[in-house]
Amino acid sequence: MLDQSTREKVVVHVAYPLWRKHALIAIARAKELQDDGADVLVTYCASRAGTCAVNFAGSPVTCGICRNRVKKSATAAGLTLVPLRTPLPSGSDDPQPSWHEQKELAEGVQSAVTSTFRQLPGDSSGSLLIRGIKKRYYRTTLGLLRSMKSVLRDLQPDRLEVFNGRQACSRFCLIAAAGEDIPFNTLEVTSRIKPIIFRGHTAHDRVKIQERMLTHPADLEVAKAYFEKRHQPGANKFAKQHAAAFEPPDSQGFQKRVAIFLSSQDEFESLGRDWKSPFPDYATVIEQACRENPEYLFCIRFHPNQADMASDITTPFKAIESLANTVVYYPTDTANSYRLIEWSDVVVTFGSTVTVEACWMGKPAIMLGPSFYDRLDVSYNPRTTEEFLQLLRRDLIPKCHENAARLARFEECDSDPMRYLGHDGKTIVSNGIRLFNPWLSQIARTSDNVFCRLVKTYAKLSNQYRRRAG
C-alpha cells in the first residue's frame, strides 16, 4: 500500500459530459489511475444555467441532466467528485485570471463558436445573436477557470487531465494548469474511435503529434490497406460524394495539370494562433497562380465539408471560374478527388489529408499553410506566395512515401488502451463502468443541436442579407 504522502495526485476533469465518448474516456481514465494507486479527484461543471459547447442555448434543464450524469456515473465508479462553481458567489475569493489567461479563454470560446456555427470569426462577430452566445459562454467558463485555479492551488496535484482542451469548456483546465505550473495530459480518440493520451501537449499540437507519427515504422502493407480504404464510401464519408463516372477535363494544349484541393477554413480558424496561415485567403493566392500561368490547366476542388459553412466562401471564386485555364468544382459538385490526383502533374493543398494521399500515389504535392503533415516531408511547403509560384513553375519530383506510410500506421494502430474501455469494431464500449441517464442526455443533445441549427440558419441568412445590402 502506497503511503498517502507518496501517492501521485491527479485531477481529471469531465468535460462535455453529455457526449458519450468524452465522458466514458474521462471516467475510465480516472478509475484506472485510482486503481493504480493515484489519489484522484474528478472535477465537473456545477453550472445551473451555463452556456458551453454542449449547451449553447444555456438551458438550465440541460445543465441539470449534465450535472446528474457526472455525479451518478463517477460516484458509481467509486470516484471522489469536486464541483466547479459557476457563476461564482458575490465576494468570492477565487483567484482572478490574468489578462493573458482571459484572452486565451476568449480564444477557446471563439474556437467552439467557429466549429459549431461554421462561420469565420469576422462573420460571427457581426451577428448579434452569436455575440450574445459568446458573452454567456465566456462568463460561464470564466467562472470555471477561477474555480479550477482555486482547486489547483489548494490541492497542488502532480497532474491534470482533460479531454481535448481546445474549446473553452475544456481549455480552461489547461489555462489553469499552466498558470499554476502543473503538468497536464489531454485525452482524445483516434480516427478508429479508440482512446489516446497526449502527454504534456494538446490534441491539436501538430509538432508533438507528428513526432509521435514518426516513431512508427513505415509499414507499407498497413499503408496500402489504409489508403485503399479511404477511397471506399463505407470508410470515408466524403468518398460518397466522389462520382465514380467522373472524368477530369481535357488538358490538351496545356503544359501542366494542377489539381488544387481546398480545406474547410473554419476548421483551421478554430485551432488558434499556432495554426495561423500565411495563405489565409484561398481565392487571392489561387487567382494569382491561375493568371500568371495561363499555359497551365487548374482544377480547383472545394472540400465537400465546406457546403455546410455559413460564411460565404464561393463568391470569391466566381472571377477565377471565368478564366480560360480553370475549372472549379464547388462543395456540392460530385467530382472525384482521387481521379483528380491521378490526372494531375502536381497537387496543391491547404493542409488536408489529400497531401499525404497524393504523396502515397506518387504525385508531387505543394502544401500551403500549417497542417498535421507539415513536418513529415511528404510535400513541398512554401512560406510565401512567391515561393509557391516558383515551385509551381518547377518540374517537381514526388516525395518519398515512407512517412506517408508512418502516418497511415499511426492512424490505424496507435492508441492507449484503457482497462475499463473496450471496442466493438466501430466505437468505444464500456468495460465495467456505467454512464447514467443515456436517454435524457440524448434528448438534451438533440435539443441543443436543434437550437444550434436554427442559429446557424439565421446567421447564414443574415450574412446573405448583409452582402446584398452592402
Side-chain angles (χ1 to χ4, degrees):
M1 183 101 176
L2 287 173
D3 184 85
Q4 186 73 23
S5 61
T6 61
R7 292 173 65 181
E8 183 183 43
K9 292 187 290 186
V10 184
V11 170
V12 178
H13 181 72
V14 182
Y16 321 107
L18 296 180
W19 291 341
R20 177 181 171 275
K21 66 183 179 184
H22 300 59
L24 265 180
I25 288 176
I27 292 174
R29 174 66 172 168
K31 184 164 178 58
E32 183 171 309
L33 288 169
Q34 183 169 277
D35 286 356
D36 290 342
D39 186 2
V40 178
L41 284 180
V42 173
T43 57
Y44 69 99
C45 172
S47 293
R48 296 194 172 273
T51 300
C52 69
V54 293
N55 189 15
F56 277 102
S59 164
V61 174
T62 296
C63 278
I65 294 170
C66 189
R67 288 194 313 274
N68 228 11
R69 182 176 223 205
V70 177
K71 287 193 286 187
K72 285 186 175 181
S73 303
T75 300
L79 299 167
T80 303
L81 283 161
V82 177
L84 300 181
R85 299 167 298 161
T86 175
L88 297 174
S90 59
S92 168
D93 59 356
D94 284 343
Q96 182 65 36
S98 66
W99 176 85
H100 176 72
E101 289 173 330
Q102 293 180 54
K103 183 180 178 184
E104 279 202 49
L105 189 66
E107 289 177 357
V109 169
Q110 182 63 61
S111 175
V113 167
T114 299
S115 293
T116 301
F117 300 115
R118 304 298 309 277
Q119 280 202 323
L120 299 179
D123 289 330
S124 64
S125 297
S127 167
L128 286 173
L129 180 56
I130 293 180
R131 284 212 306 269
I133 291 171
K134 286 165 66 173
K135 287 178 181 178
R136 295 196 304 273
Y137 192 177
Y138 179 79
R139 282 199 302 269
T140 299
T141 48
L142 181 62
L144 292 173
L145 174 57
R146 293 181 64 186
S147 292
M148 180 61 86
K149 285 173 74 73
S150 182
V151 168
L152 297 184
R153 286 187 181 182
D154 290 345
L155 184 64
Q156 285 298 301
D158 297 292
R159 189 174 66 255
L160 179 146
E161 301 198 359
V162 65
F163 197 94
N164 190 274
R166 173 171 65 86
Q167 300 172 337
C169 37
S170 60
R171 186 169 181 172
F172 79 86
C173 296
L174 305 187
I175 297 170
E180 301 305 315
D181 198 27
I182 292 169
F184 70 87
N185 292 340
T186 53
L187 313 173
E188 252 297 347
V189 292
T190 68
S191 59
R192 293 178 61 81
I193 320 297
K194 293 185 176 182
I196 190 167
I197 302 169
F198 295 119
R199 292 170 169 82
H201 64 89
T202 67
H204 48 273
D205 185 328
R206 67 182 193 278
V207 175
K208 294 294 186 182
I209 290 175
Q210 287 178 89
E211 288 176 359
R212 183 163 176 164
M213 290 176 184
L214 291 172
T215 64
H216 285 267
D219 190 323
L220 301 185
E221 289 301 314
V222 168
K224 182 174 182 291
Y226 170 77
F227 288 112
E228 285 179 354
K229 185 169 61 177
R230 284 189 60 82
H231 291 214
Q232 305 304 316
N236 178 0
K237 64 180 180 179
F238 298 118
K240 296 175 183 177
Q241 295 164 281
H242 294 171
F246 170 79
E247 286 298 328
D250 183 4
S251 60
Q252 187 173 357
F254 291 98
Q255 295 178 12
K256 185 180 286 189
R257 295 166 296 190
V258 183
I260 301 178
F261 294 89
L262 308 185
S263 297
S264 294
Q265 297 95 320
D266 59 313
E267 291 182 4
F268 288 96
E269 285 285 352
S270 71
L271 292 175
R273 284 169 290 172
D274 292 342
W275 285 78
K276 289 296 182 185
S277 172
F279 309 96
D281 186 348
Y282 292 0
T284 298
V285 66
I286 291 173
E287 183 171 4
Q288 186 174 350
C290 295
R291 289 190 184 278
E292 292 188 11
N293 298 280
E295 69 279 13
Y296 296 172
L297 178 58
F298 293 85
C299 280
I300 301 157
R301 171 71 160 125
F302 275 75
H303 196 292
N305 193 34
Q306 290 173 288
D308 195 37
M309 285 189 65
S311 294
D312 178 25
I313 55 171
T314 59
T315 297
F317 283 83
K318 298 302 181 183
I320 298 174
E321 189 178 22
S322 67
L323 299 176
N325 64 329
T326 65
V327 178
V328 179
Y329 300 101
Y330 289 101
T332 55
D333 293 337
T334 53
N336 189 309
S337 296
Y338 299 112
R339 284 287 294 116
L340 281 176
I341 295 174
E342 292 168 349
W343 166 88
S344 68
D345 296 307
V346 62
V347 170
V348 178
T349 75
F350 286 82
S352 70
T353 313
V354 169
T355 316
V356 188
E357 292 177 304
C359 175
W360 178 257
M361 293 170 69
K363 297 290 182 176
I366 301 173
M367 185 164 61
L368 305 183
S371 82
F372 282 114
Y373 324 112
D374 56 12
R375 293 174 180 246
L376 299 182
D377 195 29
V378 293
S379 61
Y380 297 85
N381 303 339
R383 291 167 296 181
T384 65
T385 300
E386 291 69 30
E387 286 184 24
F388 163 54
L389 295 173
Q390 290 171 11
L391 280 171
L392 200 57
R393 297 183 188 107
R394 286 171 48 190
D395 291 327
L396 302 176
I397 60 172
K399 293 283 188 172
C400 175
H401 63 212
E402 283 195 355
N403 283 348
R406 289 186 171 89
L407 174 137
R409 194 176 188 284
F410 167 83
E411 293 284 353
E412 288 290 282
C413 305
D414 203 343
S415 67
D416 291 293
M418 293 184 187
R419 190 175 305 139
Y420 293 101
L421 296 177
H423 199 272
D424 64 3
K426 292 183 178 180
T427 192
I428 292 169
V429 293
S430 173
N431 181 26
I433 57 174
R434 179 185 173 190
L435 288 185
F436 285 76
N437 303 335
W439 292 110
L440 285 175
S441 298
Q442 181 64 54
I443 291 169
R445 288 200 310 272
T446 301
S447 299
D448 201 61
N449 288 342
V450 170
F451 172 80
C452 290
R453 282 198 294 271
L454 290 172
V455 171
K456 188 162 67 173
T457 299
Y458 170 80
K460 193 169 187 175
L461 292 173
S462 297
N463 288 342
Q464 293 171 354
Y465 174 79
R466 285 199 299 271
R467 285 195 298 271
R468 286 197 298 267

